[in-house]
């Protein structure tokens, strides 16, 4: 299975499982838990969540899903910028750990940049790391200038979680290269886009029909996911709320896009020619 490696040498599968909007409906919780457990059984160790998701409901659901399997999980959560003071970061981490039913996180992220000085949040992250409450820390939704400011403060940032898919390619202009060169793993959220419009694209569908997966002809979503996985420093975390979707995501790992298809995707979903504001959702 393709992997990505953090600056401390820890390697994880390049395909993980997101949990945004999980735990919001009692009717779907059982299937969401079953999907996460099926992913762990298949070797997808990375699960991403956040205190913001459902005001903690996602973390509780993830905690239930990993009960008894913590050793097999690379667990990520995030602190809200409004909580990212020194004391607030400590409290948020403790609350997340309690909801998740664990005593440490593998990776703890600042969800996006807010009004708290970066120095204060970094100090809190390092404090949590020294106590063993987190193994490593990073950021989310940071653009190149933000990362450069962070570089001037500290060199131990492990990851930057950012929006990345065929319709949101602005980070290719300079951010992806900056993070790779500084040994920061890029974590792609919403790699399949939002609202399903990307997956209805005719060119994506045309390319998908030329690939086979273990279950048959590839789907547009699998091509879109394989496209994000082509980058050696990108960890992609599509939502894994249903076992059928999880199986499809897993099969995307078997797809290596041909050069002609990559050129066709570039012609249809144009890569950036200049710097653009960082896209977020």
């Amino acid at each position: 299975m393709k992997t990505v490696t953090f600056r401390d040498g820890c390697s994880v599968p390049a395909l993980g499982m997101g949990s945004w909007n999980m735990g919001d409906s009692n009717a779907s919780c059982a299937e969401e838990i079953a999907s996460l457990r099926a992913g762990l059984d298949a070797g997808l160790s990375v699960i991403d969540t956040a205190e913001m998701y459902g005001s903690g409901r996602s973390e509780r659901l993830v905690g239930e899903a990993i009960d008894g399997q913590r050793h097999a999980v690379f667990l990520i959560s995030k602190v809200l910028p409004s909580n990212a003071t020194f004391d607030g970061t400590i409290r948020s981490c403790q609350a997340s750990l309690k909801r998740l039913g664990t005593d440490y996180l593998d990776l703890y992220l600042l969800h996006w940049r807010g009004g708290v000085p970066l120095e204060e949040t970094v100090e809190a992250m390092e404090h949590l790391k020294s106590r063993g409450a987190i193994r490593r820390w990073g950021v989310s939704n940071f653009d190149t200038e933000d990362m450069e400011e962070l570089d001037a403060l500290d060199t131990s940032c492990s990851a930057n979680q950012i929006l990345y898919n065929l319709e949101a390619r602005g980070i290719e202009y300079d951010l992806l290269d900056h993070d790779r060169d500084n040994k920061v793993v890029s974590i792609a959220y919403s790699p399949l886009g939002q609202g399903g419009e990307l997956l209805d694209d005719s060119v994506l569908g045309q390319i998908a029909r030329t690939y086979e997966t273990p279950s048959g002809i590839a789907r547009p979503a699998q091509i879109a996911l394989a496209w994000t996985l082509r980058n050696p420093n990108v960890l992609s975390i599509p939502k894994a709320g249903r076992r059928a979707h999880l199986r499809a995501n897993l099969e995307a790992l078997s797809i290596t896009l041909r050069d002609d298809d990559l050129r066709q995707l570039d012609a249809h979903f144009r890569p950036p020619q200049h710097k653009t504001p960082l896209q977020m959702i």
Side-chain angles (χ1 to χ4, degrees), residues 203-252:
V203 171
L204 201 57
Q206 176 186 341
I207 292 173
R209 289 190 289 274
T210 69
Y211 287 85
E212 290 280 340
T213 74
S215 295
I217 296 173
R219 305 172 189 176
Q222 293 171 316
I223 301 300
L225 187 53
W227 180 86
T228 66
L229 293 168
R230 81 197 190 286
N231 189 310
N233 194 51
V234 171
L235 164 58
S236 196
I237 51 167
K239 183 180 177 182
R242 296 176 56 194
R243 281 169 287 184
H245 289 160
L246 174 73
R247 287 191 291 270
N249 292 345
L250 279 164
E251 290 184 353

